[in-house]
Amino acid sequence: MKLRAGIVAAVAVAGVSLAAVLVPRQGHGAPLRAGAEAGEEHEATRVVRGALCGVERWPVKTLSDPGARQIDFTVRPATVRYLGSLQANPGGQDSRGPLETRVFGVQARLVSVKRESDSDYHLVLAQGGATMIAEMPLTGCTSGAQHRYAMALARTELEHAVGGPVGGSWIHPGVPVRIVGVLFFDFPHGQSGHARNYAELHPVTGFRVLNGSR
């Protein structure tokens, strides 16, 4: 009887493990995870004139790269799901992929936001079961950048919407917003709420709360 009970228990454990492997992830994109809420993202940082800023593709993320002058700032309406379906084709450290010269505007729900180690505001947007990330750099990290004022204004508008500067812990506004930003393809580094193809609006150049929710 003991041997039989041991076999049954082993089969049950194996079944649970197999189910964990075989059950597909739901939705399009990545939902917030407990580990990410605890701060598992990994971003290299450096100090620039007293501000803690990023390193990886930082000129592109802040419109400080030579190719920023080639960006078409005509705003193209899009959905979160559509941007997550594009073929990822990122550029290099200070160069842009073909789609990274386009600006898109999306309407979505601002699910969560926090300040990251590189001082960016990390926004998780959700729409129709799909998620993606939008990022707002700190003004102190954008010296000499194209459209620096627009980036700073968008960040200020977000702070006004959530009641002040955002800290390093997640907050969950849950409000409908319109976000405008430059398309950017990131790489996996533990980020929460990413699109399937790691497409982001980075940096954000426009932010507005919809439906009088402010």
Side-chain angles (χ1 to χ4, degrees), residues 62-200:
T62 58
L63 304 184
S64 303
D65 61 302
R69 296 183 181 276
Q70 307 304 317
I71 295 173
D72 178 2
F73 280 91
T74 302
V75 180
R76 296 171 167 84
T79 64
V80 171
R81 185 174 297 277
Y82 169 74
L83 295 179
S85 71
L86 297 174
Q87 179 67 43
N89 188 12
Q93 174 65 13
D94 58 359
S95 62
R96 295 178 177 273
L99 293 178
E100 292 180 325
T101 59
R102 297 182 181 180
V103 173
F104 292 92
V106 301
Q107 294 186 14
R109 186 163 298 277
L110 177 56
V111 177
S112 303
V113 59
K114 73 170 182 177
R115 179 175 174 139
E116 295 188 317
S117 59
D118 60 6
S119 302
D120 276 6
Y121 284 169
H122 175 116
L123 288 65
V124 177
L125 307 176
Q127 178 195 52
T131 62
M132 72 176 299
I133 293 168
E135 300 261 353
M136 297 177 167
L138 179 69
T139 304
C141 297
T142 61
S143 179
Q146 298 289 310
H147 294 265
R148 189 184 189 201
Y149 176 76
M151 290 186 281
L153 181 60
R155 187 166 164 130
T156 298
E157 287 294 315
L158 170 68
E159 291 176 344
H160 181 60
V162 300
V166 179
S169 298
W170 289 106
I171 60 174
H172 308 284
V175 295
V177 297
R178 183 174 188 267
I179 300 274
V180 174
V182 182
L183 185 65
F184 175 85
F185 291 106
D186 207 352
F187 68 97
H189 55 89
Q191 62 268 53
S192 183
H194 65 80
R196 182 169 58 186
N197 59 356
Y198 292 91
E200 301 181 359

